[in-house]
Amino acid sequence: MKKNTNLRSLAAQLIERVVDKGESLSAILPGAQKNLSDKDGALLQELCFGVMRTLPQLEALIGKLMERPLTGKQRVLHYLIMVGLYQLLYTRVPPHAALAETVAGAEELKRANLKGLLNGVLRQFQRQQETLVAEVDQGTQRYLHPGWLLKRLQTAWPEQWQQIVEANNQRPPMWLRVNRQHHARDAWLALLEATEKHAFAGDAPDALRLEAPTAVGQLPGFEQGWVTVQDLSAQRCALLLEPQDGESILDLCAAPGGKTTHILEIAPQANVLAVDIDEQRLTRVRENLQRLGMQADVRQGDGRTPADWCGEQQFDRILLDAPCSATGVIRRHPDIKWLRRDRDIAELASLQQEILNAVWPRLKRGGTLLYATCSVLPEENHQQISAFLAAHPNAIAEALPQGQDNGWQVFPAIDGGDGFFYAKLMKK
């Protein structure tokens, strides 16, 4: 990519691929950032994530500013206007620079004939900003969530849905997990504070929340495996699993490997098999193991057909981080709001049920299976586990801290962890 790439036009192209073509921002953004400086890569991410977070508001503003929407080959300019509006509303980019760079983006998109239109729309917004924003921030639109998801959240969590939505719309905190094999948490925190960066302890023993997100290269000992970036809620999975040295442990749906490595930090002599259906994402598991100097058996496989990747092998403990709607991690992946559909929830619940039923026979008697999702929807969580327990008399659910019947639902919290669910199942 050329060094003089216009970041606004690049953001508009990525946003078009997500909204109109259904591609995942997490999948396409790293390729676009590859040849950019750290500073430009961070700005590109901020523009893409920001537009995804505030999409309904930006759509409504364009509806007020333009008589007819841009369609067909001009559609990418619709998203370029969004990028301009987002900068004027939410960033510290000086308005004159935001305007100039956004209008220049039309040239890079080979739409120089529409620079005047872009300039006019953005300047009109500047003149009427207060009135226009007040007009569009009405009704359910101000929650910045698709109607189907808002309805599900309101039905499932009548008292908590606003808290969930508010947390979803924030920039996520950056959580770290200190590798206890190298440092106690406070000892590593002292190394961090010597670099004039600050962090706060979380309620998991190795967890720290950075005061401000930073590049991993700035973290003491990151390349040596002293610390890993992992959300507080994700860290609870290995802790609740309680792995022991010498045990045979399956980490299913393991990519990108954060939980695999956490298991080995807690029980370095455990025999861990890490399995994921996506061969490409298993590369990340291997990279994480290598950075932390750890050994695990890493295999590609479908959770519904364990015989294909482990034969008749049985395990002392199984961590199943089940495929889910990811409605608990929207603040980290705001494109989820626009990529998911209402019908996906039943399909995902069915897939989770298939995997649970398939791997349960692979758990030894007296063994533990920890079922986890990064979802806040009952169909994937409490209801899933209730149905499983009803169908399997040899399964019992262990009570968890602050848990309800059959599991523990955590909601995303602005300064806390992501939305997560855990159920700890023991085989009689």
Side-chain angles (χ1 to χ4, degrees), residues 171-201:
R171 290 176 177 85
M174 185 171 175
W175 283 93
L176 305 174
R177 186 187 81 228
V178 178
N179 184 347
R180 60 175 75 178
Q181 296 297 320
H182 287 283
H183 294 86
R185 178 172 64 183
D186 289 351
W188 187 86
L189 181 56
L191 296 175
L192 178 74
E193 293 190 330
T195 69
E196 299 190 347
K197 291 184 172 63
H198 302 288
F200 309 93

Side-chain angles (χ1 to χ4, degrees), residues 148-149 152-153 156-157 164 168 233-234 237 259 320-330 336 340 344-346 348-349 352 371-384 404 408-412 417-423:
W148 71 266
L149 179 55
R152 277 185 179 268
L153 293 173
W157 309 111
I164 296 169
N168 284 351
S233 296
C237 291
K259 299 177 186 73
L320 170 54
D321 185 9
C324 71
S325 62
T327 43
V329 292
I330 282 172
I336 285 167
R340 285 271 173 268
D344 295 342
I345 308 308
L348 285 161
Q352 292 155 0
Y371 174 87
T373 73
C374 53
S375 167
V376 292
L377 299 179
E379 293 87 343
E380 302 177 272
N381 297 338
H382 285 298
Q383 291 175 22
Q384 183 72 262
Q404 304 83 23
W408 178 16
Q409 179 69 67
V410 174
F411 300 118
D418 293 334
F420 245 82
F421 176 80
Y422 321 89

Side-chain angles (χ1 to χ4, degrees), residues 30-84:
Q33 291 172 308
K34 199 160 53 178
N35 297 321
L36 298 175
S37 67
D38 286 351
K39 186 181 170 189
D40 282 354
L43 178 56
L44 179 64
Q45 179 167 316
E46 167 64 18
L47 296 175
C48 292
F49 275 55
V51 169
M52 288 293 118
R53 205 174 283 125
T54 57
L55 195 73
Q57 183 192 42
L58 302 178
E59 284 281 15
L61 287 170
I62 291 176
K64 296 272 184 190
L65 291 161
M66 298 178 71
E67 285 181 23
R68 291 192 310 276
L70 292 160
T71 55
K73 290 184 178 177
Q74 317 296 3
R75 184 67 177 164
V76 68
L77 289 178
H78 177 84
Y79 298 114
L80 186 57
I81 293 170
M82 281 191 178
V83 171

Side-chain angles (χ1 to χ4, degrees), residues 126-140:
Q126 278 187 297
R127 289 192 297 272
Q128 303 176 337
Q129 179 169 337
E130 208 170 303
T131 309
L132 288 170
V133 170
E135 283 176 13
V136 304
D137 283 359
Q138 301 291 324
T140 58

